[in-house]
């Protein structure tokens, strides 16, 4: 799930397909049909006019936004080695910046997948994120890591690289992390670093919020984590979210929320104080009112437990309520229009806004 750079559109992958939503109107615009099978990674172009998809077979597809027209489909010409992590468009949508297995960085032609440039980074790096920052004319590469046969996590690496990449060398930042995952604020000024405390504490995680100018850490605090933490940072850097297994932890100013959402994800709007949540149910709402959704999310989680165990073993919900609630929440779509429900439009961010929900 991700917002377009302007925040006008929300892209979501669900069990029933990939969809594009108009955020302000709450309208499902289109479903992306099988250009690539089982797409895994997604990225908007910096101007939001295109969406890039990639699957595990190194196949890419570029779509026009918001029409959904398939512009081009290609496969990375990189032999049998697999691609890793989240790539992105380069300048003018002519190139794709992508990590590959074994810590190789690739600059690909965005029309035919030819390798224009490649550079070996940290060899122990597995997966990670690549960010193209047009205003700064540079690329940020965050390499994650794996646990080796001795059950020791290899160090992760963070790189800064000036454009054009063929004329400059990547600069490795003088610090190492264990199990690094990152998220970028909507204003492209702050970077969230989610990582293990150290190699000896697999269940202890830290979030650092750093400025991109110096990558000096402004704030640091303990949090949860999982194999796929999906870290997210708000446009102003004041709120963060991370998936922690059976819950999603959300920090808003000095308040910390535990959303009872399994296999879910939270993304912050790039320009407004809005948040999108997916899981058993999905919605978009003002982040300041997110706490009000916790009881409803807990009911949905209770219903999931009852469905798995059988209603006879229900301890928190009577059976008849559970059945009714299951029918209400069975659809795993992602959005509903505030206007459709007669509530305050999201565009009136300063006004009182009730939660929006899908069902």
């Amino acid at each position: 799930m991700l917002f377009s750079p302007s925040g006008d559109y929300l892209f979501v992958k669900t069990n029933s397909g990939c969809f594009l939503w108009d955020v302000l109107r709450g309208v499902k615009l289109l479903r992306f049909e099988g250009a690539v099978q089982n797409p895994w990674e997604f990225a908007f172009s910096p101007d939001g006019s295109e969406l890039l998809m990639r699957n595990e077979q190194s196949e890419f597809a570029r779509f026009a936004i918001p029409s959904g027209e398939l512009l081009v489909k290609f496969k990375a010409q990189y032999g049998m080695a697999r691609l890793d992590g989240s790539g992105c468009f380069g300048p003018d949508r002519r190139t794709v910046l992508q990590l590959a297995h074994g810590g190789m960085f690739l600059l690909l032609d965005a029309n035919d997948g030819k390798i224009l440039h490649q550079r070996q980074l940290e060899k122990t790096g597995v997966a990670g994120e690549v960010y193209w920052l047009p205003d700064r004319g540079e690329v940020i590469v965050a390499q994650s890591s794996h646990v080796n046969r001795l059950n020791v996590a290899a160090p992760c690496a963070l790189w800064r690289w000036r454009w054009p990449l063929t004329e400059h060398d990547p600069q490795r930042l003088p610090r190492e992390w264990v199990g690094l995952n990152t998220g970028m604020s909507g204003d492209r000024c702050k970077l969230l670093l989610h990582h293990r405390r150290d190699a000896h504490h697999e269940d202890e995680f830290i979030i650092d919020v750093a400025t991109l100018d110096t990558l000096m850490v402004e704030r640091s605090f303990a949090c949860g984590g999982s194999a796929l933490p999906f870290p997210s940072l708000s446009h102003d850097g004041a709120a963060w979210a991370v998936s922690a297994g059976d819950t999603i932890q959300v920090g808003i100013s000095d308040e910390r929320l535990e959303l009872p959402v399994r296999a879910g994800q939270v993304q912050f709007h790039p320009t407004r104080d809005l948040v999108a949540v997916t899981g058993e149910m999905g919605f978009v709402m003002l982040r300041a009112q997110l706490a009000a959704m916790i009881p409803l999310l807990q009911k949905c989680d209770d219903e999931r437990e009852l469905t798995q165990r059988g209603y006879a073993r229900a301890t928190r919900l009577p059976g008849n309520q559970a059945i009714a609630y299951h029918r209400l929440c069975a659809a795993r779509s992602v959005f509903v229009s505030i206007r459709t429900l007669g509530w305050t439009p999201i565009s009136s961010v300063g006004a009182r806004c009730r939660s929006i929900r899908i069902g």
Side-chain angles (χ1 to χ4, degrees):
M1 176 176 65
L2 70 159
F3 285 100
S4 64
S6 65
D8 293 339
Y9 306 108
L10 177 68
F11 170 84
V12 184
K13 179 184 178 183
T14 71
N15 292 338
S16 56
C18 298
F19 301 91
L20 186 72
W21 292 82
D22 184 305
V23 173
L24 296 185
R25 294 189 297 143
V27 175
K28 185 189 295 184
L29 297 177
L30 60 95
R31 173 177 177 171
F32 294 93
E33 301 292 346
V36 294
Q37 293 185 347
N38 191 27
W40 185 252
E41 297 291 346
F42 314 92
F44 280 100
S45 61
D47 62 0
S49 64
E50 290 190 24
L51 178 72
L52 180 71
M53 292 187 186
R54 176 181 70 81
N55 64 13
E56 293 185 341
Q57 288 72 47
S58 303
E59 295 175 333
F60 290 81
R62 293 168 50 194
F63 295 89
I65 300 296
S67 69
E69 176 189 358
L70 176 62
L71 300 176
V72 65
K73 179 180 176 180
F74 63 90
K75 185 171 184 178
Q77 300 181 24
Y78 190 57
M80 297 299 293
R82 75 169 188 265
L83 304 185
D84 265 340
S86 302
C88 67
F89 279 105
D92 302 323
R93 305 184 303 277
R94 298 175 181 174
T95 54
V96 172
L97 315 179
Q98 178 68 54
L99 285 167
H101 188 68
M104 187 66 72
F105 178 91
L106 304 176
L107 179 65
L108 303 174
D109 188 294
N111 291 306
D112 57 19
K114 291 182 179 178
I115 298 177
L116 305 177
H117 184 66
Q118 64 184 57
R119 180 68 68 94
Q120 180 69 59
L121 301 180
E122 175 58 59
K123 292 184 178 180
T124 58
V126 175
E129 297 83 34
V130 181
Y131 304 98
W132 162 242
L133 307 176
D135 295 340
R136 298 172 180 270
E138 64 181 18
V139 176
I140 297 292
V141 182
Q143 288 185 278
S144 189
S145 67
H146 67 289
V147 176
N148 62 25
R149 294 179 181 177
L150 299 178
N151 201 34
V152 176
C156 305
L158 197 61
W159 306 78
R160 189 192 297 271
W161 201 346
R162 295 290 300 172
W163 192 271
L165 305 185
T166 55
E167 298 178 8
H168 299 87
D169 293 324
Q171 302 298 314
R172 181 169 180 166
L173 300 176
R175 182 180 170 184
E176 292 183 344
W177 298 264
V178 177
L180 179 66
N181 289 274
T182 63
M184 185 79 69
S185 63
D187 61 6
R188 294 305 214 226
C189 291
K190 299 181 185 296
L191 188 67
L192 182 150
L193 308 170
H194 176 267
H195 56 94
R196 290 194 177 97
R197 183 181 298 277
D198 55 50
H200 306 290
H201 297 84
E202 294 185 3
D203 298 325
E204 296 184 21
F205 294 86
I206 300 291
I207 278 182
D208 297 325
V209 179
T211 61
L212 274 179
D213 287 332
T214 61
L215 285 175
M216 297 293 293
V217 175
E218 295 180 335
R219 290 178 291 151
S220 183
F221 38 84
C223 68
S226 64
L228 294 172
F230 299 115
S232 179
L233 189 64
S234 64
H235 69 96
D236 55 3
W240 56 269
V242 63
S243 177
D246 291 344
T247 64
I248 297 177
Q249 293 185 0
V250 181
I252 302 176
S253 298
D254 295 328
E255 182 182 19
R256 180 174 299 192
L257 306 177
E258 295 275 348
L259 306 184
V261 177
R262 302 165 190 255
Q265 184 181 355
V266 166
Q267 285 292 320
F268 292 99
H269 194 277
T271 62
R272 299 172 181 262
D273 294 341
L274 300 173
V275 61
V277 181
T278 58
E280 290 295 325
M281 57 185 297
F283 52 89
V284 175
M285 67 182 304
L286 288 172
R287 74 187 192 203
Q289 297 178 1
L290 188 58
M293 289 296 293
I294 292 179
L296 189 56
L297 291 170
Q298 187 61 62
K299 276 188 176 182
C300 194
D301 189 60
D302 290 343
E303 164 58 17
R304 188 196 61 82
E305 286 288 336
L306 294 174
T307 302
Q308 290 184 351
R309 297 181 182 182
Y311 294 123
R313 298 177 57 186
T315 57
R316 288 183 284 185
L317 283 177
N320 58 345
Q321 290 186 18
I323 294 172
Y325 196 80
H326 175 70
R327 289 173 180 168
L328 184 65
C329 296
R332 294 177 60 96
S333 358
V334 183
F335 201 66
V336 76
S337 168
I338 303 183
R339 289 194 176 98
T340 300
L341 300 180
W343 295 344
T344 308
I346 311 181
S347 55
S348 303
V349 174
R352 187 170 182 266
C353 180
R354 295 175 60 185
S355 58
I356 33 178
R357 143 188 161 172
I358 359 173

